[in-house]
Amino acid sequence: MTRKTTFSMEFRREAASLVLDKNHTYKEACDATGVNENVLYRWVAQLRAERSGIMPPGMAVTADQQRIQELEERIRCLEMERDILKKAAALLITDDFKSLPRGSGPTSLLPPLPKQHK
């Protein structure tokens, strides 16, 4: 039974850059890194795509794309929190108005106006 090996993003980037930047062949890069050639083909294709500005479907290889993915995830979380707070505020407002005595409205919550002298 073979065990699936996971490689860090830095290792993937370095292995792919052997082919793209240092002009090694796939075979040479595979021998140097101990990675299967099919895997290296995928890493090279992903790095090439990221460098051209295409966002990968999975985890990014380049630092810039990784940062973009982190920020997009943070935006999703913040938007979800905002939506929850909007709904909670709406519920609190409707509950406050329901608890007011009949005939009183939002203006009853305001302080009385000062009397004017003539």
Side-chain angles (χ1 to χ4, degrees), residues 9 11 23 33 44-45 59-60 70 72 76 83 85 91 103 111:
M9 288 299 148
F11 180 81
N23 299 322
T33 59
V44 169
M59 191 64 182
E70 290 169 5
E72 286 175 343
R76 277 192 292 278
D83 293 342
L85 289 172
L91 285 173

Side-chain angles (χ1 to χ4, degrees), residues 3-69:
R3 186 172 159 211
K4 184 178 179 181
T5 307
T6 56
F7 298 98
S8 69
M9 288 299 148
E10 184 178 349
F11 180 81
R12 293 176 187 201
R13 186 174 41 251
E14 290 297 320
S17 73
L18 287 175
V19 175
L20 292 176
D21 302 330
K22 298 189 172 69
N23 299 322
H24 289 274
T25 65
Y26 282 92
K27 177 84 170 114
E28 292 170 344
C30 288
D31 291 341
T33 59
V35 175
N36 184 302
E37 201 166 332
N38 291 331
V39 173
L40 186 60
Y41 273 110
R42 281 197 315 262
W43 294 350
V44 169
Q46 183 179 359
L47 184 59
R48 190 177 284 135
E50 287 182 26
R51 285 181 177 177
S52 67
I54 299 170
M55 182 65 85
M59 191 64 182
V61 175
T62 62
D64 290 341
Q65 294 293 340
Q66 286 174 349
R67 182 70 176 144
I68 289 170
Q69 285 180 336

